[in-house]
Amino acid sequence: MGKTSRISGFHKLTVEERLKIVSEFAGLSDDEAALLKKRGHLDIQTADRMIENVIGTFELPLGIAANMIINGKEYLIPMAVEESSVVAGVTNAARIARSGGGFFTSNTGPLMIAQIQAVDVKDPFGAKLRLYEKKDEILRIANEQDPILVKIGGGAKNIEVRVIETAFGQMVIVHLIVDTRDAMGANAVNTMAETLAPYVGEWTGGRVYLRILSNLADRRLVRARVRVKKEEFKGAEDVLEGMIYAWAFADADPYRAATHNKGIMNGISAMVIATGNDFRAIEAGAHAYASRTGRYRSLTHWEKDQNGDLIGTIEVPMAVGLVGGATKMHPISGVVIKILGVKTATELGEIIGAVGLCQNLAALRALAAEGIQKGHMSLHAKNIAVSAGATGDLIDVIAKRMVEEGTIRMDRAQELLKELKKG
Ligand code: MEV
């Protein structure tokens, strides 16, 4: 019989047993299986509780971006990311932002939205108003689900009811707006929405299907602002101009905006991952927010002030927490939070927003000047040298030669490796 991925009770097996099955299935060598058995800082019992069917753990480099000042306070920024130049970019851009005082931030508070979907409602507009009349009762039922959250000042605060047009006619959509304090809040708001669903069914006279949070967390925005003094561009004034043109390009053209915003997410996601938060939620929220005008646009804005200094701003949803989930279970996330020295989820969110803006500053500056490849290449060359089999000092020697020659390719790295090993 050929191999099959149908493995009954896979989840009930131990990590070892699962790994044995996977090794046989994929023909892993003993060395490859041993790699999966290597343990890092995340112990396997914790990993096995975090997700299903665990066979090992997966590591990323954790780097520190230096030079960051936010609201007058010095921060070291931990970033977990696989791409070279990301940490260097924030470090360099944070340095040039220092003379303008660094970054300044604000936020809208930690308000999440839960959605409840009612279909086949005979009188959707009447139902909408019936729901508004029940607002106090809705908030009371929701808040009964999480007395601790209410005690610390959070909980369901408001509702909004929308009638939307869909491929299957009008639907009544209830938004429950919940202050989730220091939690990302998915569990809290989903529990509230699930409890409310039968009531919404009864009060609308329709059928309720979905009851789940929205990742378009546009009530949980962070904002960051930076001023880069024109003196930072002395002798390269056209770079400052080029950066503003680069922003205008991104804001006008979704093809460019996708890359521009990807660069912003380099900084945001690296911090979200390092702090054990849900980076898919943040990515989804950011891109949906970038499309809120009906066209996918830049998350940042760049302009010049009356002095000719460069002013950058960002506004982005930031549903991150400090309690619950991987933020508490992953041992490194706790250390990362200590390095950041943050006390609240909103402070964390603001820092992440500022880092996104800082990353964008780095990218636009490089793009408007020498391009990104120059900075990228020496690290990239080292990666290629390692992939070609270089070890120890040979990595730097081969990388340097390839950068000097302007040929950073695997075949050239292999050639050089052969040559140098012979010599
Ligand atoms: C690469 O990861 C990110 C950039 O492409 C962003 C940008 O183009 O603005 C450099």
Side-chain angles (χ1 to χ4, degrees):
M1 211 182 87
K3 59 186 185 181
T4 174
S5 64
R6 172 77 193 103
I7 310 169
S8 154
F10 193 56
H11 64 288
K12 292 187 196 147
L13 303 179
T14 64
V15 172
E16 282 282 316
E17 288 165 339
R18 281 183 215 128
L19 182 54
K20 189 162 177 283
I21 291 176
V22 173
S23 298
E24 277 161 20
F25 183 92
L28 297 186
S29 67
D30 288 348
D31 285 351
E32 285 161 339
L35 267 184
L36 288 169
K37 282 187 196 156
K38 260 197 172 167
R39 301 294 174 235
H41 40 68
L42 178 60
D43 70 84
I44 200 71
Q45 289 80 12
T46 307
D48 201 25
R49 279 198 305 273
M50 285 171 77
I51 66 163
E52 307 74 34
N53 297 350
V54 164
I55 60 163
T57 56
F58 185 97
E59 292 181 332
L60 278 175
L62 179 69
I64 294 285
N67 303 331
M68 197 76 178
I69 301 180
I70 304 171
N71 302 325
K73 189 171 158 193
E74 301 279 349
Y75 288 95
L76 290 177
I77 303 295
M79 306 177 80
V81 66
E82 87 300 343
E83 183 179 341
S84 58
S85 303
V86 169
V87 177
V90 172
T91 301
N92 292 335
R95 183 179 44 75
I96 69 160
R98 287 178 79 88
S99 58
F103 293 77
F104 299 90
T105 61
S106 53
N107 72 80
T108 57
L111 295 175
M112 293 298 284
I113 298 169
Q115 297 191 292
I116 304 167
Q117 173 203 28
V119 306
D120 284 345
V121 178
K122 292 286 169 289
D123 61 338
F125 291 91
K128 173 175 166 171
L129 292 209
R130 287 198 293 284
L131 287 165
Y132 275 125
E133 289 154 28
K134 297 277 186 195
K135 174 178 150 180
D136 290 346
E137 200 172 343
I138 291 173
L139 297 182
R140 181 184 55 75
I141 296 166
N143 283 328
E144 275 170 9
Q145 307 313 307
D146 205 330
I148 293 174
L149 184 61
V150 174
K151 207 169 148 198
I152 58 172
K157 300 289 183 192
N158 206 354
I159 61 164
E160 271 163 18
V161 187
R162 302 157 58 218
V163 176
I164 63 165
E165 303 292 334
T166 79
F168 292 107
Q170 290 177 325
M171 293 179 190
V172 177
I173 309 295
V174 183
H175 283 193
L176 182 71
I177 299 169
V178 185
D179 182 328
T180 62
R181 298 282 89 197
D182 284 327
M184 186 274 189
N187 284 329
V189 305
N190 288 342
T191 304
M192 289 179 182
E194 288 191 4
T195 309
L196 282 169
Y199 296 94
V200 171
E202 190 188 320
W203 294 329
T204 57
R207 278 179 298 134
V208 169
Y209 283 108
L210 268 56
R211 48 244 189 273
I212 182 83
L213 99 166
S214 169
N215 285 120
L216 176 49
D218 61 0
R219 305 304 168 90
R220 198 174 191 172
L221 300 175
V222 294
R223 303 188 177 102
R225 171 175 68 81
V226 67
R227 180 161 63 100
V228 187
K229 290 201 166 164
K230 62 175 186 290
E231 290 72 27
E232 297 290 345
F233 296 93
K234 228 183 178 111
E237 285 75 12
D238 59 321
V239 172
L240 194 159
E241 294 296 321
M243 290 173 70
I244 294 174
Y245 277 108
W247 164 76
F249 177 15
D251 204 46
D253 175 27
Y255 285 93
R256 173 58 204 152
T259 322
H260 176 98
N261 289 342
K262 186 273 180 186
I264 294 168
M265 299 316 287
N266 278 344
I268 290 180
S269 295
M271 279 199 79
V272 173
I273 292 170
T275 57
N277 274 287
D278 179 344
F279 57 94
R280 288 86 55 216
I282 301 298
E283 298 268 354
H287 295 296
Y289 195 66
S291 309
R292 68 193 179 284
T293 58
R295 190 180 75 228
Y296 183 76
R297 300 174 66 175
S298 166
L299 284 164
T300 54
H301 192 284
W302 292 94
E303 62 199 334
K304 268 199 292 189
D305 70 5
Q306 72 275 19
N307 292 325
D309 295 339
L310 179 65
I311 305 293
T313 57
I314 188 170
E315 184 179 85
V316 63
M318 194 55 66
V320 289
L322 277 184
V323 295
T327 50
K328 272 280 171 283
M329 286 182 94
H330 199 295
I332 294 297
S333 300
V335 181
V336 161
I337 295 297
K338 184 151 187 203
I339 295 171
L340 285 167
V342 292
K343 296 280 179 279
T344 64
T346 45
E347 185 187 359
L348 173 63
E350 287 183 355
I351 296 173
I352 298 175
V355 168
L357 180 61
C358 188
Q359 193 86 65
N360 191 223
L361 170 61
L364 295 190
R365 186 162 168 259
L367 289 167
E370 73 274 6
I372 61 151
Q373 288 307 83
K374 193 168 159 230
H376 226 79
M377 276 308 150
S378 77
L379 270 176
H380 178 58
K382 283 186 196 171
N383 288 339
I384 297 282
V386 172
S387 308
T391 51
D393 292 348
L394 284 180
I395 299 171
D396 283 340
V397 176
I398 292 173
K400 194 161 171 267
R401 279 276 292 275
M402 289 198 295
V403 171
E404 280 163 8
E405 289 171 4
T407 317
I408 301 168
R409 286 200 321 252
M410 182 66 89
D411 55 337
R412 183 62 187 139
Q414 282 163 343
E415 253 171 45
L416 285 169
L417 183 62
K418 241 193 217 160
E419 234 175 81
L420 289 162
K421 272 190 168 164
K422 258 197 235 150

